[in-house]
């Protein structure tokens, strides 16, 4: 992928607009979509992610290089896999039964939640990140490269090229990317994992995931 990738954010709740805003600040062109008419999210975009273009989901995805899946988890069961076929998809969702209730689709303990997402979106390339940091922190804790306070974020996926693309987005937004070599390893980023909701430096992050995986 050459040049600056275009990002489409699917989801205009808590997480989506923040990701749109920090990506815009980092110089990425961004569109944002919800499940219906873009006019319904125009005010949200204007105030929470000024500069993000509200669009119909299909139009936003069509010319995007990266699609950020930031919809409520309970809506994923009715999400159309064809919408993101052939796309690099960042899965930011979490399965957290105390919050979401029990979702049968995500109850297979053999797999992490992003692996289950990947099974349902077989024609997409799935990379997991942004799920283990609070949406308010994602905005507040950005730091320039080289800052001693710069926080690490994990980036997990089975396709090394796709992981590199997403890691570059993470770095440009203001975090140090720590690559995990499989989508299965993305389980370490989920609720209950060693790095979920914890602010760590890259070396601390790597030690935490190594200790858990050992």
């Amino acid at each position: 992928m050459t040049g600056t990738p275009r990002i489409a954010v699917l989801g205009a709740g808590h997480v989506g607009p923040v990701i749109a805003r920090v990506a815009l600040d980092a110089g990425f062109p961004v569109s944002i979509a919800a499940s219906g008419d873009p006019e319904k999210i125009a005010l949200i975009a204007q105030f929470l992610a000024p500069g993000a273009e509200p669009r119909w989901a299909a139009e936003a995805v069509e010319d995007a290089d990266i699609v950020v899946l930031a919809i409520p988890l309970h809506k994923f069961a009715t999400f159309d896999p064809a919408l993101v076929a052939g796309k690099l998809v960042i899965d930011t969702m979490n399965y957290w039964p105390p919050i979401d209730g029990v979702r049968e689709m995500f109850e297979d303990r053999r797999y992490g939640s992003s692996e289950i997402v990947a099974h349902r979106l077989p024609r997409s390339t799935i990379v997991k990140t942004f799920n283990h940091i609070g949406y308010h922190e994602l905005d507040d804790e950005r730091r320039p490269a080289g800052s001693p306070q710069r926080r690490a974020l994990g980036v997990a996926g089975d396709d090394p090229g796709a992981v590199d693309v997403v890691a570059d987005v993470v770095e440009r937004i203001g975090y140090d990317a720590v690559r995990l070599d499989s989508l299965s390893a993305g389980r370490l980023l989920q609720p209950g994992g060693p790095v979920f909701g914890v602010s760590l430096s890259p070396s601390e992050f790597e030690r935490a995931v190594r200790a858990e995986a050992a």
Side-chain angles (χ1 to χ4, degrees), residues 44 146 190 195:
I44 292 173
Q190 293 178 184
V195 297

Side-chain angles (χ1 to χ4, degrees), residues 138-153:
L138 181 60
D139 195 358
D140 295 342
E141 296 197 6
R142 293 175 285 165
R143 298 291 185 273
S147 168
Q149 285 82 42
R150 193 155 141 122
R151 179 172 174 172
L153 291 183

Side-chain angles (χ1 to χ4, degrees), residues 49-211:
E53 182 185 3
R55 300 178 72 182
W56 292 96
E59 294 174 357
V61 168
E62 185 177 7
D63 62 358
D65 301 296
I66 300 170
V67 178
V68 176
L69 194 56
I71 63 174
L73 187 87
H74 69 269
K75 291 190 174 182
F76 182 67
T78 57
F79 184 82
D80 181 6
L83 179 64
V84 292
K87 294 294 182 178
L88 168 51
V89 175
I90 298 176
D91 176 25
T92 72
M93 300 184 297
N94 279 312
Y95 178 46
W96 208 347
I99 303 297
D100 303 306
V102 173
R103 301 286 162 187
E104 203 60 44
M105 177 186 296
F106 290 94
E107 279 293 301
D108 191 336
R109 301 302 184 189
R110 294 174 298 171
Y111 304 108
S113 63
S114 289
E115 292 176 277
I116 292 168
V117 168
H119 295 160
R120 189 154 188 280
L121 306 180
R123 291 187 289 161
S124 304
T125 302
I126 309 301
V127 175
K128 185 184 192 76
T129 192
F130 297 135
N131 71 298
H132 53 297
I133 181 171
Y135 63 90
H136 48 287
E137 295 173 324
L138 181 60
D139 195 358
D140 295 342
E141 296 197 6
R142 293 175 285 165
R143 298 291 185 273
S147 168
Q149 285 82 42
R150 193 155 141 122
R151 179 172 174 172
L153 291 183
V155 181
D158 294 329
D159 182 318
V163 169
D164 283 344
V165 169
V166 175
D168 182 62
V169 173
V170 169
E171 297 269 353
R172 286 176 59 177
I173 281 173
Y175 295 88
D176 283 330
V178 176
R179 292 163 173 80
L180 305 181
D181 62 3
S182 68
L183 203 53
S184 174
R187 282 184 253 201
L188 298 167
L189 310 179
Q190 293 178 184
V195 297
F196 185 82
V198 186
S199 183
L200 301 170
S201 70
S203 59
E204 292 168 335
F205 192 103
E206 288 171 357
R207 281 198 299 272
V209 295
R210 274 202 305 269

Side-chain angles (χ1 to χ4, degrees), residues 16-26 28-32 41-54 139:
V18 175
I19 292 176
R21 182 166 68 248
V22 298
L24 282 161
D25 286 351
F28 294 96
V30 178
S31 54
I32 187 167
I41 62 168
L43 275 177
I44 292 173
Q46 181 181 338
F47 287 106
L48 298 182
E53 182 185 3
D139 195 358

